[in-house]
Amino acid sequence: MRIRDDKYTPLFQAAAYLFITAAALACLFPFLLILSASFTQNESIIRSGYHLLPLDFSLEGYKTVFRFPEQVLKAYGVTIFTTVTGTALGLFLMTMAGYVLQRKDFKYRNVFSFYIYFTTLFGGGLVPWYIMMTKYLQLTDTYTALIFPGLMTPFLIILMKTFIRSAVPEELFESAKIDGAGDFTIYSRIVLQLSMPGIATVGLFLALHYWNDWFGSSLFINDQSKYQLQFYLYNIVNAMQFIAQMGAGTGVSLGQDMPTESTKMAMAIIVTGPILFLYPFVQRYFVKGLTVGAVKG
Amino acid sequence: MDSHTNAAGSMGPGLRTGPQPRGRGEAVSRTRKKRGIVHELVTNRILFLMLLPTLIFFFINSYIPMVGVYYAFTRFDFGTGLFDAPFVGLENFKFLWTSGVLAKLTLNTLGYNLAFIVLGNGLAILSAVLLSEVKGRWFKKAAQSILFLPYFISFVILSVIVYNVFNYESGFLNTMLKGFGLDPVDVYNTPWMWVPLIILFYLWKNLGYSMVIYLAAITGIPEDYYEAAKIDGANIFQRIWHITIPMLKTTFIVLLLFSIGSIMKGQFDLFYQLVGNNGVLYNATDILDTYVYRSLKVTFDVGMATAAGLYQSLFGFILILSVNAVIRRINDEYALF
């Protein structure tokens, strides 16, 4: 039997469509602005500002970025390296930790869970951590400094633990043990196979963190050739802003000799490109994993 | 090695004889045989080995720096070692307190985070409810994807976007204003404007993420509840108010507790990338995180920065304990620990 909707329902739905559409436009709008600006002639931006559609189409921004492609490509290389290494290593360690901590026959699991959880309650703060990393561990200008701090977070370990607990039935452990499988074999043959959606989600969180990281470079890297992509962009943006402000202050328009604005935007598109390209593929996993983590968590 | 773990592992089920329920059986065996940590280490040594890297990671990354809070009581510079730095007692804290820095930072940090929590959850619930009532499948999927998009964008890109829209000479906003014959606005020199702007961009970036979590909770509500309400003549507002909203309570409380846990921290990237080292705006935009970072990297006040960081940790810690105690009073189930 189909029950008729009340008279408010169509009205409500119209309002819902309207609200959601407006919110979606607000989310898309800034990207369109950057995209359009990256294809606009620099002079046109300075003269008449940013527009949603390029007033004077030009590729000069992209040309400037790739006039010296080694630096951009180097920064890309650093980011890809830290993202792949960090994600793989972090996933390996966190799935193992999650597996061990959810094992009901592991006596000290609550003690160790609290040991991990406590770090979210209290910490030494940024400065002692920074001094330890630079002065005592001597990690300045190393890739370790970029990879190590982001490997694990308590939140992701808890997510992983919850996921494994809900994905792998308790009886499977018992029967595998009876068949003679060791703890590590159970982990690698059973747990990893059954927790793929959870692993995908945690992996995405990690990859996103490493890809978007600029903080690591800003704290630990002095050698420009080891800058992560985001920090490289950050520096370019600041340098360009500086040049533009110098020009405005002295009355000499330096900005017009160098395509500052369009270059910044082109850089922004180049940096974001891979994520925008991958986004439709990975978004599905993200939603799925979060859903499981939140509902069962 | 494998055979040994196996033998030890199968001892567990062996002890539980008879038809008694499993939970009770375990409890009995534990009281009868009190086993030491050494025995446990040997029995479950593979599990320990698998957990060990994680334990070491948190020891290095989180526990060792806790020793470093000692710097907060010294006049430290990078030349001296940990215990060579001259001890100055509470001087750093006294300075932070009397100069009014601490009060301002606390107020800003708490204020912004409260706004993030209240508005963030409110907007996420609103859009999740609206999206769940919409019929078109294609529209639903597309809207969800687009709203989630900003979450994937780095804060550096966000700063580029904000600069694009709000800079004085060529920003989108001022281009528009000039187009309508209005006066341009100098946003980067107007502190109060950054309060709504920072909140707005926080919402922009995180709406999709929290909406998805609420949407998942709504999807889990059995359809019959709504059918029954419809038969009883409830209109759409009554259905949302009496079914959907109460069913979101658990999700809301879990998210709330998570965010209260980090109420003294958080969103450093957002503030730093939007405002940077623009001193004009500090009164309205400086939070503990940005202050500490600046003291470390720009002004090199190491002792002061450590003091501010320790204050942040302690204040946050006490806050969480109090909130937890209150929740425990009201409803034990929701307490964090």
Side-chain angles (χ1 to χ4, degrees), chain A residues 61-209:
Chain A
Y62 290 93
K63 279 183 192 152
T64 316
V65 173
F66 284 110
R67 197 181 290 160
F68 305 105
E70 313 82 48
Q71 286 186 324
V72 188
L73 293 179
K74 184 77 203 175
Y76 246 105
V78 173
T79 294
I80 290 172
F81 174 70
T82 52
T83 304
V84 171
T85 320
T87 308
L89 199 57
L91 266 183
F92 177 62
L93 298 179
M94 286 198 288
T95 44
M96 278 201 306
Y99 163 65
V100 173
L101 291 175
Q102 64 84 48
R103 277 278 294 257
K104 293 227 168 71
D105 56 340
F106 187 60
K107 203 171 160 193
Y108 297 103
R109 64 178 193 282
N110 288 331
V111 178
F112 289 128
S113 292
F114 189 76
Y115 169 87
I116 293 169
Y117 174 71
F118 182 75
T119 60
T120 65
L121 299 179
F122 185 79
L126 177 70
V127 182
W129 179 72
Y130 174 80
I131 293 173
M132 177 197 70
M133 293 281 287
T134 54
K135 210 172 134 100
Y136 293 98
L137 299 180
Q138 304 274 341
L139 292 178
T140 308
D141 276 337
T142 61
Y143 291 122
T144 313
L146 298 179
I147 295 170
F148 174 75
L151 277 179
M152 290 185 241
T153 69
F155 170 72
L156 291 183
I157 293 178
I158 293 171
L159 196 75
M160 205 61 235
K161 184 176 105 176
T162 318
F163 199 94
I164 293 175
R165 182 169 286 165
S166 70
V168 188
E170 184 81 19
E171 294 74 31
L172 221 51
F173 294 137
E174 311 254 322
S175 68
K177 268 193 208 161
I178 292 167
D179 289 346
D183 293 319
F184 192 79
T185 317
I186 297 176
Y187 157 77
S188 58
R189 293 270 181 81
I190 299 173
V191 174
L192 287 189
Q193 312 303 324
L194 291 178
S195 323
M196 268 342 254
I199 293 172
T201 310
V202 172
L204 276 170
F205 267 113
L206 273 178
L208 201 59
H209 160 79

Side-chain angles (χ1 to χ4, degrees), chain B residues 61 87 108 134 142 148 157 180 193 196 207 253 267 273-274:
Chain B
N61 209 40
F87 185 82
N108 280 351
V134 156
F148 212 152
I157 301 287
F180 292 125
M193 284 185 182
L207 173 63
I253 289 176
Q267 308 306 328
Q273 287 296 343
L274 288 199

Side-chain angles (χ1 to χ4, degrees), chain A residues 198-238:
Chain A
I199 293 172
T201 310
V202 172
L204 276 170
F205 267 113
L206 273 178
L208 201 59
H209 160 79
Y210 280 111
W211 188 270
N212 284 341
D213 187 32
W214 59 275
F215 194 56
S217 291
S218 106
L219 280 181
F220 301 118
I221 305 294
N222 301 318
D223 176 2
Q224 284 210 17
S225 70
K226 285 177 183 158
Y227 280 174
Q228 291 154 297
L229 198 53
Q230 302 288 345
F231 194 64
Y232 180 76
L233 169 68
Y234 172 76
N235 272 329
I236 288 210
V237 169
N238 282 355

Side-chain angles (χ1 to χ4, degrees), chain B residues 23-136:
Chain B
R24 243 188 83 210
E26 266 175 357
V28 169
S29 78
R30 204 178 304 146
T31 44
R32 202 184 310 157
K33 278 194 173 181
K34 221 171 173 190
R35 287 161 170 175
I37 188 158
V38 181
H39 177 88
E40 186 67 21
L41 270 171
V42 175
T43 327
N44 279 328
R45 63 172 183 277
I46 302 291
L47 291 181
F48 268 110
L49 271 180
M50 290 170 80
L51 191 60
L52 196 62
T54 306
L55 301 181
I56 294 172
F57 173 86
F58 283 101
F59 186 72
I60 295 177
N61 209 40
S62 307
Y63 285 92
I64 292 181
M66 288 181 198
V67 181
V69 297
Y70 176 74
Y71 303 138
F73 308 98
T74 64
R75 200 176 293 117
F76 180 83
D77 65 72
F78 286 97
T80 51
L82 175 52
F83 294 107
D84 306 336
F87 185 82
V88 294
L90 293 174
E91 204 176 273
N92 290 324
F93 294 94
K94 214 182 267 169
F95 176 81
L96 284 171
W97 181 251
T98 48
S99 62
V101 174
L102 226 44
K104 183 188 78 183
L105 293 176
T106 310
L107 214 66
N108 280 351
T109 310
L110 280 177
Y112 276 111
N113 273 304
L114 278 178
F116 293 161
I117 293 173
V118 173
L119 295 174
N121 279 300
L123 198 62
I125 293 175
L126 176 70
S127 30
V129 168
L130 290 179
L131 200 58
S132 72
E133 293 288 340
V134 156
K135 287 282 172 286

Side-chain angles (χ1 to χ4, degrees), chain B residues 102 105-106 109 264 286-293 308 311-312:
Chain B
L102 226 44
L105 293 176
T106 310
T109 310
M264 290 304 282
D286 215 11
I287 56 170
L288 277 155
D289 280 330
T290 48
Y291 178 83
V292 171
Y293 178 79
Y311 164 80
Q312 176 183 29

